[in-house]
Amino acid sequence: MSHVEDELTSQPECWTRVAADAAGHAGALPAPGERVAIVGCGTSYFMAQAAAALREGAGQGETDAFAASEFPHGRSYDRVLALTRSGTTTEVLDLLGRLKGRTRTTAVTADPGTPVMSAADDVVVLDYADERSVVQTRFATTALSLLRAHLGLHTDAVVADARTALSRPLPEGLVDCTQFTFLGRGWTVGLANEAGLKMREASLSWTEAYPAMEYRHGPISITTRGTATWMLGRAPEGLADQVRATGGLWVDGGLDPLAELVRAQRLAVAVAAARGLDPDQPRHLTRSVILTP
């Protein structure tokens, strides 16, 4: 079993633990009414997109998401929340350094022995969700589960759906597809982006991701036999029938969207195996991007 496969199967336990601990981290996390920016790189950026949409949708306050390198320094925020598994990513550390003494910052990380511990004003350490794999799975979803629980949006049903996602067979013919498109709405747009990234990282697949209502505005033109379109969350009316009419495979996301992401992670590993690839050795990637001066 690869590291990434082993780690992704542990997600239900990680989510249960972080939800139980969420109240103890409340002082380090955004308070209702704060104007907040959530930042990250790669997978963490896509989790930031999902978390920002969830928080604003819950009426907790204006919340934006940015890649750490694209943070708009001309804007004013009450708190900047950084997601960083490694605690060493250059863009995140540079941003936290620029914000020091001007804006309250919080980092959610997996490694307590890294520079982010002193770079941020507050830190939440999820060391039990750390990973050996370059390809992120459980840290990202556990960090998002922490924020969902902080917002009162995590339930036992989410964990149950994750267990179902791990045990249910993938749809027939899905692994053999040559192209994959992931769709989301609201907070699940970030999850769709992350599902696409997992497929590219682990299996070198041709993948795309879009807000679901944007799919008809051009992207559906590539859909045909041998392609798959996967909806994370509730699909727009009529879209499934339109995809099936092209000959493409429609995958309906009937589970909690975060559990659907677990299914997409499994698909990435399965496609990698079918293509003779090692998902623990993704091409051109490292665990953390550390840029030299």
Side-chain angles (χ1 to χ4, degrees):
M1 182 179 290
S2 63
H3 295 315
V4 66
E5 188 174 6
D6 180 56
E7 289 157 359
L8 74 84
T9 60
S10 69
Q11 288 175 108
E13 291 74 26
C14 289
W15 300 359
T16 298
R17 179 170 176 177
V18 82
D21 293 344
H25 297 303
L29 298 175
E34 286 186 334
R35 188 169 190 247
V36 173
I38 309 178
V39 301
C41 299
T43 288
S44 292
Y45 170 43
F46 297 142
M47 294 299 100
Q49 291 178 334
L54 279 173
R55 183 175 186 270
E56 190 157 318
Q60 293 284 298
E62 184 176 348
T63 314
D64 298 319
F66 301 103
S69 59
E70 297 298 320
F71 183 81
H73 288 276
R75 294 189 188 180
S76 175
Y77 290 97
D78 299 310
R79 184 183 299 267
V80 173
L81 172 62
L83 305 179
T84 170
R85 176 182 65 172
S86 70
T88 60
T89 303
T90 297
E91 296 101 303
V92 172
L93 294 176
D94 285 351
L95 174 58
L96 293 174
R98 291 187 64 177
L99 295 174
K100 197 76 169 180
R102 296 194 295 115
T103 304
R104 190 78 183 175
T105 59
T106 295
V108 179
T109 188
D111 191 341
T114 58
V116 78
M117 298 298 293
S118 58
D121 297 312
D122 300 298
V123 182
V124 177
V125 178
L126 307 178
D127 51 354
Y128 55 87
D130 202 357
E131 298 157 326
R132 295 180 64 183
S133 177
V134 171
V135 176
Q136 282 200 55
T137 55
R138 72 181 179 193
F139 174 76
T141 61
T142 300
L144 184 56
S145 293
L146 168 66
L147 299 174
R148 288 183 85 183
H150 179 62
L151 295 169
L153 300 176
H154 176 87
T155 67
D156 291 341
V158 177
V159 176
D161 276 3
R163 297 190 191 283
T164 299
L166 290 168
S167 61
R168 178 186 296 174
L170 293 170
E172 184 177 353
L174 183 59
V175 171
D176 298 322
C177 288
T178 58
Q179 189 276 341
F180 304 87
T181 300
F182 296 92
L183 305 178
R185 303 185 79 177
W187 74 281
T188 70
V189 172
L191 301 187
N193 287 332
E194 170 58 9
L197 180 62
K198 285 288 88 68
M199 294 295 297
R200 289 189 289 274
E201 289 178 330
S203 66
L204 305 182
S205 294
W206 171 22
T207 59
E208 299 178 342
Y210 302 97
M213 292 298 288
E214 287 295 305
Y215 187 57
R216 297 180 178 97
H217 295 272
I220 196 172
S221 62
I222 66 168
T223 306
T224 187
R225 295 189 183 279
T227 71
T229 303
W230 191 325
M231 183 71 213
L232 283 77
R234 182 174 297 180
E237 186 71 28
L239 186 57
D241 290 339
Q242 284 183 273
V243 170
R244 293 187 182 107
T246 70
L249 176 63
W250 171 262
V251 182
D252 186 46
L255 302 174
D256 180 89
L258 196 57
E260 285 295 319
L261 179 58
V262 174
R263 291 179 73 203
Q265 294 168 349
R266 288 184 56 214
L267 174 63
V269 171
V271 173
R275 296 177 179 178
L277 300 172
D278 180 357
D280 286 336
Q281 300 293 327
R283 191 169 67 184
H284 311 317
L285 297 180
T286 58
R287 174 178 159 86
S288 174
V289 176
I290 302 174
L291 305 176
T292 56

